Amino acid sequence: MEQTVNYIQEKIKEFKPQIGVILGSGLGDFADDFESIIIPYNDIPGFENSNVKGHKGQLVFAEVNGKRLVMMQGRYHFYEGHSMKTVTFPVKVMRKLGVETLIVTNAAGAVDGSFIPGELMFITDHINFMGTNPLIGMNDDSLGTRFPDMSEVYSKDLIEIAEETAEELNVEYQKGVYLSTTGPSYESPSEIKMFRMLGADAVGMSTVPEAIVARWSGMKVLGISCITNYAAGISDSPLNHQEVIDTANRVKENFKKLLAELIKKI
Ligand code: HPA
């Protein structure tokens, strides 16, 4: 960790990021719009090699609307075979760099049948359905406590700011519970029916590990899902990754506008 932080600090010099942003599938472009310092994951000691199609795999440091940001263009997924440690290491690094707020974004399927693909959902809570926990193992007391409270992972204050901003910009949004699976297979209709009974509104394959670690280490968290498709069995059509990417691309402009505006207010 020390080596990682030192390496990054040498590259970014006096720049001290305040807000971290994890850009999900199809939403990575946001980071391209600003003058920035870019560090590929593959160059950072302690970061695993990353190789997912459609994800760039780099940290982008930039000032956006008066705030200093560190953005992840591409994330590590558990379904790629990465350990939970690898998946959440960048979040710990952000914290060590001084980040106090994490905005975590993703593409997700609608479990609530009233949602419409293309809408954004502000995450009010999550259900960790991955069968493991990123905090298993020795606790790093310099970041957080052994048994951290998870009663408000997603900051109510930040949700309020996000709602206000969405209303100002006339961006349609929902609020709801995000359930994470390991993937990489999409869910069966029966699983989606079960997830609905458990209280889920959206389903995806990321975000929960990063949010748990962020909260554990004392960050405020805002979670935004881009609803890209109906989950299995909610509509008759089969699921595919291209649909997820296409919808995310369609929503991108609204998403970017919203993100830039709400960053001003954090
Ligand atoms: N299920 C799981 N993950 C997803 C989905 C889905 O329907 N859509 C986008 N990511």
Side-chain angles (χ1 to χ4, degrees):
M1 172 63 80
E2 216 180 291
Q3 219 188 328
T4 308
V5 171
N6 285 341
Y7 176 86
I8 293 170
Q9 275 171 341
E10 222 161 88
K11 297 261 175 211
I12 63 176
K13 304 274 185 331
E14 302 299 300
F15 189 91
K16 209 171 154 19
Q18 308 160 282
I19 301 174
V21 183
I22 303 179
L23 296 165
S25 303
L27 306 171
D29 284 18
F30 178 75
D32 293 336
D33 294 351
F34 312 98
E35 196 185 314
S36 61
I37 302 167
I38 292 174
I39 314 179
Y41 298 160
N42 292 351
D43 290 355
I44 305 174
F47 273 49
E48 286 289 317
N49 273 354
S50 111
N51 50 12
V52 182
K53 260 205 328 215
H55 296 275
K56 279 188 181 144
Q58 56 192 21
L59 289 183
V60 180
F61 295 84
E63 192 173 307
V64 176
N65 283 335
K67 299 284 158 60
R68 296 181 303 275
L69 263 56
V70 50
M71 293 171 272
M72 291 182 70
Q73 252 182 341
R75 54 150 61 86
Y76 296 99
H77 288 98
F78 193 58
Y79 62 70
E80 294 169 88
H82 292 301
S83 67
M84 279 292 172
K85 225 173 149 177
T86 297
V87 170
T88 57
F89 186 68
V91 177
K92 295 177 198 171
V93 171
M94 286 181 186
R95 186 68 180 132
K96 289 283 185 186
L97 291 170
V99 168
E100 290 181 338
T101 303
L102 182 70
I103 302 174
V104 52
T105 71
N106 59 53
V111 177
D112 179 334
S114 75
F115 288 3
I116 298 165
E119 284 177 332
L120 299 176
M121 182 188 89
F122 301 133
I123 302 177
T124 55
D125 201 0
H126 70 223
I127 297 172
N128 177 9
F129 208 81
M130 293 174 119
T132 183
N133 189 295
L135 299 176
I136 288 173
M138 250 225 311
N139 189 64
D140 182 349
D141 295 332
S142 75
L143 282 168
T145 64
R146 173 77 292 187
F147 301 109
D149 175 44
M150 291 287 140
S151 49
E152 192 186 320
V153 176
Y154 305 89
S155 158
K156 290 199 171 87
D157 295 344
L158 292 180
I159 292 171
E160 213 169 286
I161 291 174
E163 286 189 89
E164 251 179 49
T165 312
E167 275 155 29
E168 282 165 19
L169 296 173
N170 271 320
V171 170
E172 295 285 329
Y173 71 91
Q174 301 283 352
K175 286 193 289 181
V177 176
Y178 175 93
L179 181 145
S180 63
T181 70
T182 65
S185 56
Y186 288 117
E187 302 71 32
S188 70
S190 299
E191 286 165 347
I192 293 301
K193 219 182 270 174
M194 172 178 72
F195 292 162
R196 187 71 188 139
M197 285 193 267
L198 294 177
D201 299 299
V203 62
M205 304 173 191
S206 68
T207 300
V208 171
E210 295 113 311
I212 290 174
V213 167
R215 192 71 203 107
W216 161 73
S217 66
M219 292 192 216
K220 287 180 98 173
V221 181
L222 175 66
I224 307 175
S225 291
C226 170
I227 302 296
T228 51
N229 58 283
Y230 291 111
I234 300 287
S235 82
D236 291 335
S237 54
L239 276 67
N240 68 77
H241 184 59
Q242 196 51 50
E243 180 192 5
V244 169
I245 297 301
D246 289 347
T247 310
N249 273 323
R250 182 158 62 77
V251 178
K252 207 161 57 182
E253 291 312 314
N254 264 350
F255 169 81
K256 281 158 62 168
K257 237 176 18 189
L258 178 81
L259 199 53
E261 275 307 304
L262 70 83
I263 279 165
K264 269 189 209 167
K265 303 187 191 175
I266 292 175

